[in-house]
Amino acid sequence: MTPHRTLVVVAHPDLENSRITAQLTAAIKDVEHVTVHNLAAAYPDRRVDAAREQELLRGHDTIVLQFPWHWYSVPGVLKEWMDQVLTYGFAYGSGGDALHGKRLQLVISTGGPESSYTPAGHNRFTMAELLRPLEATAHLCGLDMAQPLVLHSAPRVAADELDRHAARYRELLAPAAVAGR
Ligand SMILES: Cc1cc2nc3c(=O)[nH]c(=O)nc-3n(C[C@H](O)[C@H](O)[C@H](O)COP(=O)(O)O)c2cc1C
């Protein structure tokens, strides 16, 4: 039986100066059957090799998009990747079934606390509401979207809490966990 393979697309514009994304990436890089793909390192000029990315996607069963929340959305580096890789005939439209039945896991960190992502909070909308465009993207591409893993209050999160979050992430990607779904 072929193992369940997981592709982690790390999308941070400045990983050297990241705390959360850097630690989460380090936590999962040696998990079995996991490929870590750092977009900003692969494409410093943002000219994405769509054919290479599409091959990577075809070769994995779970696709993880790991990113900091930027302006209520994905960082530019990930938007660029989406625009260039999720093309007609590959990800959607006639013959565009390459992603059908794969699993999508979002792993997000936000600066705002959880309480700010409520109707009365200063971000006004819930994460579930703000994630609707990504949910629609998953739906169009035939991806099965898992419950996103979100870390709030990123700049203020204590070291031990970040360690626990990283351990949860690692468990989520462990072969036994992904194969059992
Ligand atoms: C350009 C930019 C836009 C941001 N937009 C938001 C936002 O809309 N909502 C929010 O909660 N945090 C926002 N943040 C905070 C980041 O989400 C937070 O600093 C990040 O998740 C921390 O992860 P890191 O240590 O890997 O950079 C923004 C940060 C930057 C640099």
Side-chain angles (χ1 to χ4, degrees):
M1 206 179 93
T2 44
H4 186 105
R5 292 149 305 177
T6 298
L7 176 67
V8 179
V9 176
V10 179
H12 195 294
D14 185 16
L15 201 54
E16 282 93 82
N17 291 306
S18 143
R19 176 179 173 225
I20 308 299
T21 309
Q23 180 164 338
L24 294 185
T25 305
I28 51 95
K29 71 176 191 308
D30 62 346
V31 178
E32 224 185 342
H33 311 307
V34 167
T35 307
V36 175
H37 183 40
N38 176 353
L39 282 189
Y43 305 111
D45 58 2
R46 298 229 185 147
R47 288 163 62 94
V48 176
D49 180 343
R52 174 188 173 208
E53 296 301 308
Q54 291 176 350
E55 266 323 290
L56 267 175
L57 290 170
R58 282 187 206 278
H60 292 81
D61 309 292
T62 289
I63 313 302
V64 177
L65 300 179
Q66 186 196 318
F67 56 91
W69 195 231
H70 280 181
W71 285 109
Y72 306 108
S73 186
V74 299
V77 61
L78 182 54
K79 182 61 167 55
E80 199 70 55
W81 179 89
M82 290 168 67
D83 290 351
Q84 295 184 46
V85 177
L86 304 181
T87 52
Y88 182 91
F90 172 78
Y92 71 100
S94 176
D97 61 358
L99 303 178
H100 283 194
K102 294 185 191 288
R103 191 176 170 81
L104 176 67
Q105 173 73 63
L106 303 179
V107 176
I108 306 169
S109 58
T110 79
E114 191 169 7
S115 59
S116 69
Y117 285 98
T118 57
H122 76 259
N123 289 312
R124 187 158 182 197
F125 300 101
T126 66
M127 284 302 285
E129 287 170 325
L130 296 167
L131 284 168
R132 284 290 202 178
L134 287 171
E135 203 182 326
T137 301
H139 177 256
L140 184 70
C141 297
L143 287 156
D144 173 16
M145 186 163 145
Q147 187 65 31
L149 180 67
V150 182
L151 179 73
H152 290 291
S153 303
R156 294 166 301 282
V157 78
D160 59 338
E161 196 185 332
L162 180 54
D163 288 347
R164 281 196 297 277
H165 186 77
R168 267 199 301 278
Y169 182 24
R170 202 180 150 82
E171 273 164 31
L172 201 63
L173 301 196
V178 284
R181 287 184 192 124

